[in-house]
């Protein structure tokens, strides 16, 4: 399937060989145990280890992550389960791990756990490839690009080359880009990790995550971790995720195009500062993003003058839900500072562009900005 277009691949990914009178995508398999006789040498024995519905989804994601190449994907109950599986299956007492200091909000919780296990954790910003300066003696480098919520981009190839030269493994959190926007394994990373709750499944109705590796030994460690902690997805969630992949290119292309249109409109507003979108040619991240990304994602960030006007803006929106998370077909926005933990101004807005008609969405944002900036 390596020569097929993204849309064709997304529609066909992970489907079993056709069987007469059977559905194209078999329904979810609900089973805690399977019939066994003699030695348990078959693929399915117990529901915490394997499930046919996971198998189809894992093959599908693998085909999107590295078309035409042998890779192994492991799906998890959430993105954080996938992140934790990589970090905690690889790091041992006395090891050193590098994390971004501007990454996903829950990474500090993982840092606390790693340090409790005797792992040294170093941090550096995503922008400027700053993690290069702290790689000496490191077991695992964790990259998040574009970063969430600041949307900085680092040069994955450059970081991977330096890390591998030092004997360091590299994991890339690819949540914001999805495999249609960026393929970390092609850029040299050892692990491609994502919260599939976001753009990959795109409907805001399931929690899911995955890890994809080329190296079978690394993949085995991740899969063993899933078995030990039991961070497994439900079969219905896995089936819904696989079904959702069929529209991935349609969703992502609409979202990315509208995100650029919205960014261009926001750039004309005097009350908007700190506007970021990796696909905007004037964005600081664009020169690196355009070399390693094929699509630039659905997330736009910007800053309004203060907390009050940011809240008024969110209240005035009619076609955008005030909600956390991103990547869904329905646009969402939030004042990110309400959670604490992110080094952002009080008026910082993380805006996730959905699949609405672009002209309607831009008009709604313009109207909400007008209302928010009016007399108080």
């Amino acid at each position: 399937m390596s020569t097929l277009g993204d849309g064709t691949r997304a529609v066909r990914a992970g489907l079993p060989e056709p069987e007469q009178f059977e559905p194209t995508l078999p329904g979810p398999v609900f089973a805690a145990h399977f019939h066994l006789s003699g030695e348990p040498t078959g693929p399915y024995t117990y529901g915490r280890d394997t499930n046919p519905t996971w198998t189809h989804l894992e093959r599908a994601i693998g085909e999107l992550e590295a078309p035409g190449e042998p890779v192994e994907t492991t799906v998890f109950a959430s993105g954080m389960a996938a992140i934790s599986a990589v970090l905690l299956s690889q790091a041992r007492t006395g090891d050193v791990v590098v994390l971004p200091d501007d990454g996903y909000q829950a990474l500090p919780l993982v840092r606390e756990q790693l340090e409790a296990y005797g792992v040294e954790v170093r941090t550096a910003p995503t922008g400027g490839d700053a993690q290069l300066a702290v790689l000496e003696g490191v077991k695992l480098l964790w990259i998040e690009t574009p970063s969430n919520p600041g949307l900085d981009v680092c040069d994955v190839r450059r970081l991977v080359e330096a890390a591998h030269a030092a004997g360091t493994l590299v994991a890339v959190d690819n949540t914001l880009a999805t495999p249609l926007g960026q393929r970390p394994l092609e850029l040299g990373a050892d692990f491609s990790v994502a919260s599939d709750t976001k753009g990959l499944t795109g409907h805001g109705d399931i929690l899911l995550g995955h890890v994809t590796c080329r190296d079978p030994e690394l993949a085995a460690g991740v899969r063993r971790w899933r078995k030990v902690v039991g961070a497994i997805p439900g079969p219905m969630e896995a089936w819904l995720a696989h079904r959702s992949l069929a529209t991935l290119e349609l969703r992502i292309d609409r979202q990315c195009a509208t995100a650029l249109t919205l960014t261009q409109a926001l750039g004309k507003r005097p009350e908007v500062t700190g506007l970021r979108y990796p696909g905007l040619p004037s964005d600081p991240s664009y020169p690196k993003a355009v070399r390693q990304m094929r699509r630039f994602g659905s997330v736009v960030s910007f800053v309004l003058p203060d907390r009050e006007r940011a809240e008024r803006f969110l209240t005035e929106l009619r076609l955008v839900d005030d909600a956390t998370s991103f990547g869904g077909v329905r646009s969402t926005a939030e004042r990110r500072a309400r959670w604490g933990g992110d080094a952002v101004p009080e008026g910082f807005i993380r805006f996730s562009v959905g699949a609405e008609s672009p002209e309607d969405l831009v008009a709604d944002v313009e109207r909400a900005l007008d209302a928010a900036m009016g007399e108080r």
Side-chain angles (χ1 to χ4, degrees):
M1 294 179 69
S2 59
T3 60
L4 298 177
D6 285 343
T8 305
R9 188 177 299 109
V11 168
R12 306 294 305 178
L15 297 181
E17 289 297 317
E19 291 189 31
Q20 187 76 346
F21 308 120
E22 292 295 322
T24 305
L25 176 61
V29 175
F30 299 97
H33 57 264
F34 300 83
H35 288 295
L36 297 174
S37 59
E39 295 298 318
T41 57
Y44 305 109
T45 57
Y46 185 64
R48 192 182 68 254
D49 300 336
T50 50
N51 179 290
T53 310
W54 304 349
T55 300
H56 294 314
L57 176 60
E58 288 171 343
R59 288 174 181 167
I61 293 174
E63 289 170 13
L64 298 178
E65 287 276 12
E69 298 184 35
V71 295
E72 294 188 31
T73 296
T74 305
V75 291
F76 288 86
S78 69
M80 280 307 301
I83 289 170
S84 300
V86 173
L87 288 164
L88 296 174
S89 71
Q90 298 303 312
R92 302 287 186 271
T93 300
D95 286 341
V96 182
V97 168
V98 172
L99 301 178
D101 64 11
D102 55 347
Y104 180 53
Q105 187 189 47
L107 280 181
L109 300 177
V110 181
R111 175 180 183 170
E112 291 177 8
Q113 193 62 60
L114 287 167
E115 291 175 337
Y117 290 153
V119 176
E120 179 187 342
V121 179
R122 301 173 189 164
T123 62
T126 299
D129 299 340
Q131 291 172 311
L132 286 171
V134 292
L135 286 181
E136 184 177 353
V138 170
K139 172 69 178 294
L140 176 66
L141 167 64
W142 188 272
I143 296 172
E144 185 178 303
T145 181
S147 61
N148 171 30
L151 301 181
D152 276 323
V153 170
C154 60
D155 187 332
V156 176
R157 290 186 184 91
R158 183 186 182 198
L159 286 164
V160 165
E161 182 178 347
H164 284 175
T168 300
L169 295 170
V170 181
V172 176
D173 185 332
N174 200 42
T175 300
L176 209 147
T178 81
L180 264 59
Q182 183 171 259
R183 293 180 184 147
L185 299 185
E186 289 186 359
L187 300 173
D190 301 288
F191 304 90
S192 180
V193 189
S195 169
D196 303 322
T197 307
K198 315 296 195 300
L200 195 71
T201 59
H203 290 77
D205 52 9
I206 58 175
L207 293 175
L208 200 80
H210 81 268
V211 179
T212 302
C213 309
R214 275 202 181 93
D215 186 329
E217 186 175 345
L218 294 177
V222 170
R223 197 169 290 267
R224 181 180 182 276
W225 183 262
R226 182 182 68 180
K227 177 177 180 177
V228 169
V229 300
I232 59 173
M236 190 67 198
E237 285 79 4
W239 184 86
L240 286 169
H242 197 167
R243 182 208 60 175
S244 298
L245 292 182
T247 61
L248 180 59
E249 186 195 44
L250 298 174
R251 291 186 279 107
I252 295 295
D253 281 352
R254 165 61 75 88
Q255 289 170 287
C256 291
T258 305
L260 181 58
T261 299
L262 176 63
T263 306
Q264 292 167 337
L266 288 169
K268 300 173 183 177
R269 302 286 304 209
E271 65 270 45
V272 171
T273 59
L275 180 63
R276 298 297 304 271
Y277 181 64
L280 189 68
S282 59
D283 190 274
S285 290
Y286 183 80
K288 289 180 180 177
V290 77
R291 291 198 300 268
Q292 65 191 25
M293 299 183 73
R294 297 155 59 239
R295 295 171 175 86
F296 301 103
S298 63
V299 178
V300 175
S301 67
F302 55 95
V303 180
L304 296 180
D306 52 44
R307 173 176 178 164
E308 180 181 353
R309 280 178 280 191
E311 292 286 359
R312 289 180 65 190
F313 166 69
L314 294 171
T315 300
E316 291 290 340
L317 291 167
R318 297 290 177 265
L319 300 180
V320 182
D321 295 330
D322 186 349
T324 194
S325 198
F326 57 86
V329 290
R330 289 174 289 279
S331 291
T332 60
E334 66 174 335
R335 191 180 66 83
R336 192 63 189 163
R338 67 183 178 180
W339 298 102
D342 291 317
V344 296
E346 287 293 327
F348 183 97
I349 301 293
R350 185 180 71 178
F351 195 110
S352 174
V353 176
E356 298 89 357
S357 296
E359 59 274 15
D360 294 335
L361 187 62
V362 171
D364 190 45
V365 170
E366 296 268 21
R367 183 197 51 75
L369 282 171
D370 289 341
M373 300 304 143
E375 291 296 324
R376 288 181 286 173

